[in-house]
Amino acid sequence: MVHLAGGQKGDDVATRNLLAACRGVRHFVYISVIGADTVPLAWLRTKHACEEAVEASGIPFTVLRAAQFHDLTLTMVRGLAKLPVVPVPGMRLQPVDARDVAARIAGLALGQPAGRVPDLAGPADFDLRELVRDYLTVAGKRRLTVPVRLPGQAGKAYRGGRNLALDGDRGTRTWEEFLAER
């Protein structure tokens, strides 16, 4: 069983229901997010609760945490770039290509249960301002960018790089290649 679905709300309940229906399954593969246990955002707490449910289920499992997909990163920077002055939070990201994640998930699903495996991130780390700049260049837009500080514990976690997998596995398709195809 490969569980790739998820949402902003109720994912933990849906995951527990799926696990209850999977008795007899020999391998349950779950995709999560880097920082699920270290970045204090509600969505990431839910992803971590899902991981804990998978681990407690008694079903042999594999959990892969992945970085933000290129598409999600693009949605984020595109949204910021709609503003005449672009606020750019001080944070780093490691966007990863969905195809790299899909290949990794497929390989894991065909293998033996492995518990929590090394995280998967994109081939490079970026300051968010670099990602915004790259998007603005490709989109042919000119905008003033202004650095902003993310407040609170989540901001502290992002500033501390707790959303990064500096020692994890790396995908191969770059942010620049992704943007060039758009």
Side-chain angles (χ1 to χ4, degrees):
M1 168 62 69
V2 177
H3 179 21
L4 304 175
Q8 295 290 347
K9 293 185 179 190
D11 193 27
D12 51 342
V13 173
T15 297
R16 285 193 298 273
N17 289 339
L18 179 60
L19 288 163
C22 284
R23 298 298 170 214
V25 166
R26 293 187 312 263
H27 188 185
F28 190 96
V29 179
Y30 180 69
I31 188 166
S32 191
V33 180
I34 295 170
D37 59 344
T38 59
V39 178
L41 295 175
W43 178 62
L44 292 176
R45 282 189 203 113
T46 299
K47 295 302 279 185
H48 190 241
C50 292
E51 290 179 15
E52 291 175 328
V54 169
E55 292 173 14
S57 71
I59 299 170
F61 69 92
T62 302
V63 171
L64 171 66
R65 288 183 180 174
Q68 301 80 13
F69 290 5
H70 287 145
D71 291 296
L72 177 60
T73 303
L74 178 59
T75 298
M76 181 174 57
V77 298
R78 188 181 279 154
L80 290 171
K82 287 181 180 180
L83 300 169
V85 176
V86 181
V88 182
M91 61 190 293
R92 292 175 26 222
L93 299 175
Q94 299 171 300
V96 65
D97 192 73
R99 289 176 279 193
D100 289 333
V101 177
R104 179 75 182 280
I105 287 285
L108 292 170
L110 294 171
Q112 295 298 312
R116 173 126 178 267
V117 297
D119 298 344
L120 178 61
D125 310 355
F126 295 94
D127 286 327
L128 184 55
R129 67 180 145 72
E130 294 174 279
L131 298 168
V132 168
R133 183 193 62 227
D134 290 348
Y135 169 73
L136 290 170
T137 299
V138 168
K141 295 181 178 187
R142 294 177 49 90
R143 298 281 191 277
L144 176 65
T145 60
V146 178
V148 296
R149 183 177 170 90
L150 286 176
Q153 290 301 311
K156 182 178 178 180
Y158 280 113
R159 285 189 303 278
R162 293 192 303 213
N163 62 310
L164 304 175
L166 300 175
D167 296 328
D169 291 339
R170 297 297 183 112
T172 59
R173 188 162 176 251
T174 68
W175 168 248
E176 296 84 1
E177 291 168 335
F178 170 80
L179 279 181
E181 290 179 3
R182 297 293 176 166

